[in-house]
Amino acid sequence: MKQKLEDIKNSALQSIDCAQTLEQIEELKIQFLGRKSELNNIRKSVKDLSVEDRPIIGQMANTISNEISEKISQKLEDFNRKAINEKLEKEKIDITLPGTAIPYGTVHPLTSTINEIVEIFQGMGFSLTENKNSPEVETEHYNFDLLNFPPDHPAKDMQDTFYTTLAPNVVLRSQTSNSQVRTMEIQKPPIRIISPGRVYRSEAVSSRKNNLFHQVEGLIVDKDITFADLKGVLNEFTRIFFGQARPTKFRNSFFPFTEPSAEIDVQCIMCEGKGCRTCSGTGWLEILGAGMVDPNVLIGVGIDPEEYTGFAFGMGVERLAMLKYAINDIRLFFNNDVRFLKQF
Ligand code: PHE
């Protein structure tokens, strides 16, 4: 009987050792430990043995049964470990592979040009006007009348200005100069503001003109402001914006809200005054309009022109950006072609 048990044990341990699959293990479990197994038969027959043999054989059968069980669990554990290792090996991630590059955006060249202009004037003591003083949807009153435009001024024509159907006399502002009068209406001198924003004009779109463009307006009102201050501030601006001092030319001009008025040219940055395509051979580039605030405008907003004087200027952002970055078509700013935008 003992030999038989020994044989069962050896055969079981050997078979388990050789098992290759989970199913084989399950089968061996039934074969060696199941209800109909030889070992179980022996255990059932222990009660028929002699009193001396009973405990010896019984104990031996139990020990063997435990040994086989343990061997099986060990084998199962081996299988599991192997399966996990195989899975890990298969799913291994190569962390040295380069990742997928995510394209990142850049600031739009018009936005960065506006920021740059604003920063230059902030450096000279100007502050940004509040948004509420610079609306894009505006009444004729602020866009024209308070700026001393006579009622029959051609700029008020529908051909030049976009009128809305919101109410009579409501327009898309044609200039940022509305922010001048809106600011002066609620703020008394000294005033020193800068006001960037969108403006709209009903014009045929071309490489030089768009219906929508951007301006930066500036205004100073204080005691003893003269044309010399205007020249100093704007010369300093062109020096910083274009990176070096360049000759400027103050040409006599006319705006209803400034007197005297000037258009300011800077020496062509492409040909340094020799004459090229960018400056149409003249050697000069017009960059902004400016002038001393007309006394009528001051009176209209309740500021005494005998006590205070001021100057104002308005510059086209697209034009400045086109000159600075040598861009030859204004429409490029609005097409949102990534190939163009990602250069900035
Ligand atoms: N508003 C004028 C324009 O759009 C520019 C300007 C602003 C001129 C301020 C003088 C003073 O052309």
Side-chain angles (χ1 to χ4, degrees):
M1 188 68 90
K2 272 187 188 167
Q3 188 52 47
K4 208 167 173 192
L5 282 171
E6 229 18 82
D7 288 347
I8 292 172
K9 174 180 146 183
N10 289 338
S11 145
L13 295 186
Q14 211 174 2
S15 312
I16 294 166
D17 254 342
C18 298
Q20 301 286 349
T21 64
L22 274 176
E23 293 89 78
Q24 281 174 11
I25 298 275
E26 284 307 317
E27 273 167 29
L28 291 173
K29 199 170 169 181
I30 295 166
Q31 185 187 328
F32 289 104
L33 298 176
R35 255 187 315 123
K36 290 177 186 158
S37 65
E38 253 185 296
L39 189 61
N40 207 37
N41 286 340
I42 292 174
R43 284 161 126 184
K44 275 195 263 178
S45 62
V46 165
K47 60 179 190 319
D48 305 325
L49 295 174
S50 66
V51 184
E52 303 91 75
D53 282 348
R54 243 184 256 170
I56 296 166
I57 298 299
Q59 206 167 30
M60 200 171 159
N62 282 343
T63 313
I64 289 172
S65 167
N66 286 344
E67 266 177 79
I68 296 173
S69 289
E70 195 156 306
K71 182 87 186 169
I72 287 176
S73 355
Q74 222 173 55
K75 189 78 183 178
L76 284 176
E77 218 173 275
D78 284 352
F79 272 147
N80 272 339
R81 195 172 314 122
K82 222 171 111 195
I84 288 173
N85 282 342
E86 265 168 27
K87 201 171 167 208
L88 285 178
E89 193 61 37
K90 238 192 288 167
E91 292 176 359
K92 208 166 165 185
I93 295 168
D94 183 355
I95 55 166
T96 65
L97 275 177
T100 317
I102 299 167
Y104 51 88
T106 53
V107 177
H108 193 282
L110 287 181
T111 308
S112 61
T113 304
I114 290 174
N115 290 346
E116 197 181 337
I117 296 170
V118 167
E119 270 170 37
I120 292 172
F121 284 106
Q122 281 177 331
M124 290 193 255
F126 288 75
S127 6
L128 259 185
T129 184
E130 286 179 59
N131 280 343
K132 71 168 171 27
N133 291 336
S134 186
E136 287 174 35
V137 180
E138 186 54 288
T139 57
E140 277 189 295
H141 182 64
Y142 289 104
N143 193 75
F144 295 122
D145 302 343
L146 276 181
L147 286 160
N148 202 32
F149 282 69
D152 55 352
H153 194 283
K156 295 180 89 169
D157 198 286
M158 297 249 282
Q159 311 252 279
D160 293 308
T161 300
F162 285 114
Y163 281 74
T164 71
T165 50
L166 294 171
N169 308 328
V170 174
V171 301
L172 298 183
R173 70 170 169 189
S174 61
Q175 49 185 356
T176 44
S177 303
N178 64 333
S179 60
Q180 287 185 34
V181 277
R182 279 192 176 268
T183 302
M184 286 190 281
E185 233 183 16
I186 54 174
Q187 190 184 326
K188 293 306 147 205
I191 294 169
R192 193 178 291 207
I193 53 130
I194 198 87
S195 172
R198 293 193 190 103
V199 301
Y200 304 82
R201 284 185 199 172
S202 177
E203 275 176 317
V205 175
S206 70
S207 64
R208 295 165 67 93
K209 284 183 173 170
N210 200 45
N211 290 154
L212 152 73
F213 58 101
H214 298 74
Q215 288 186 331
V216 177
E217 191 85 7
L219 171 73
I220 285 193
V221 183
D222 204 346
K223 289 186 170 139
D224 305 322
I225 298 289
T226 69
F227 203 89
D229 297 310
L230 181 157
K231 285 185 90 169
V233 165
L234 294 178
N235 278 338
E236 180 65 355
F237 165 75
T238 54
R239 182 185 72 78
I240 303 175
F241 185 80
F242 291 110
Q244 68 180 92
R246 287 192 173 275
T248 50
K249 194 160 75 173
F250 286 66
R251 264 186 302 109
N252 187 26
S253 185
F254 176 81
F255 300 103
F257 41 95
T258 49
E259 183 59 35
S261 302
E263 270 169 322
I264 288 132
D265 296 347
V266 65
Q267 190 190 60
C268 182
I269 56 166
M270 306 292 169
C271 64
E272 305 208 328
K274 292 184 200 69
C276 65
R277 265 185 57 190
T278 306
C279 58
S280 314
T282 62
W284 294 94
L285 299 163
E286 185 200 319
I287 55 163
L288 55 89
M292 302 305 292
V293 181
D294 194 292
N296 278 345
V297 174
L298 294 175
I299 292 168
V301 292
I303 294 174
D304 181 1
E306 297 295 329
E307 194 181 353
Y308 293 104
T309 50
F311 69 78
F313 57 86
M315 52 183 79
V317 177
E318 282 77 359
R319 183 158 178 79
L320 286 168
M322 286 168 82
L323 293 174
K324 187 158 179 166
Y325 301 116
I327 296 164
N328 58 11
D329 193 322
I330 194 171
R331 291 167 291 196
L332 286 165
F333 291 120
F334 304 100
N335 291 344
N336 287 333
D337 186 328
V338 183
R339 291 168 301 178
F340 170 74
L341 295 175
K342 75 176 176 197
Q343 300 176 83
F344 298 94

